[in-house]
Amino acid sequence: MGLPPVVVGLFVYLLLSYSGPLGPLQLLYTPTAMIIAQLIMAIPIVIGITVSSVGSINKSIQDKALSLGATKLQLMVTILREARIGLLTAVIAAFGGAISEVGAVMIVGGNIRWVTRVLTTAIVVETELGKFDVAIALGIILLLLAFIVNWLLTQMQWRGLRR
């Protein structure tokens, strides 16, 4: 669940490079390549927490749903509904990992201004240029975005607990 971002970036770079197996798709240094790298990093987190959450659901819930004649789809929906707090936790953890990531997106996106530069890489660039005021402003924006999204997801969790 803790893949090193730079290694993920290197792996995706090799896959998408012109001599790589997916080179003909010409995805390297595009937002799509950045999304692929982020997904490779986030999916194990989501799967791990989701499996743990679903696995902790009491077996009696499954037995009750089946005894009441639930179909497999209804059973799955019931189990996921019961695990909703854990599912939101998975989303929060994946979001936290994605929003703080620099290495992978820098490698596969190329940090191209107005095309593939994200807030985290922009902060790195502005800091390297000695423009600390701009870097701090971007950092505040990133923090605000992270706090707002985390607050909204936490509110959803609290509402789920009250049900």
Side-chain angles (χ1 to χ4, degrees), residues 12-29:
V12 175
Y13 179 91
L14 293 172
L15 282 175
L16 300 179
S17 69
Y18 297 112
S19 59
L22 301 177
L25 298 176
Q26 297 182 345
L27 295 175
L28 197 58
Y29 305 125

Side-chain angles (χ1 to χ4, degrees), residues 71-111:
T71 65
K72 287 187 179 200
L73 179 61
Q74 291 170 327
L75 176 63
M76 182 179 69
V77 169
T78 300
I79 291 171
L80 291 176
R81 187 174 293 141
E82 289 296 317
R84 68 186 172 277
I85 303 303
L87 298 177
L88 277 170
T89 301
V91 171
I92 291 170
F95 174 75
I99 199 168
S100 62
E101 204 290 304
V102 178
V105 295
M106 214 171 208
I107 291 174
V108 300
N111 196 25

Side-chain angles (χ1 to χ4, degrees), residues 101-120:
E101 204 290 304
V102 178
V105 295
M106 214 171 208
I107 291 174
V108 300
N111 196 25
I112 303 167
R113 190 174 190 184
W114 310 119
V115 180
T116 60
R117 184 170 294 165
V118 294
L119 275 173
T120 50

Side-chain angles (χ1 to χ4, degrees), residues 1 43-58 79-80 82-87 89-90:
M1 285 182 31
I43 287 174
I45 295 169
V46 172
I47 290 173
I49 296 173
T50 299
V51 167
S52 177
S53 298
V54 169
S56 68
I57 300 300
N58 194 324
I79 291 171
L80 291 176
E82 289 296 317
R84 68 186 172 277
I85 303 303
L87 298 177
T89 301

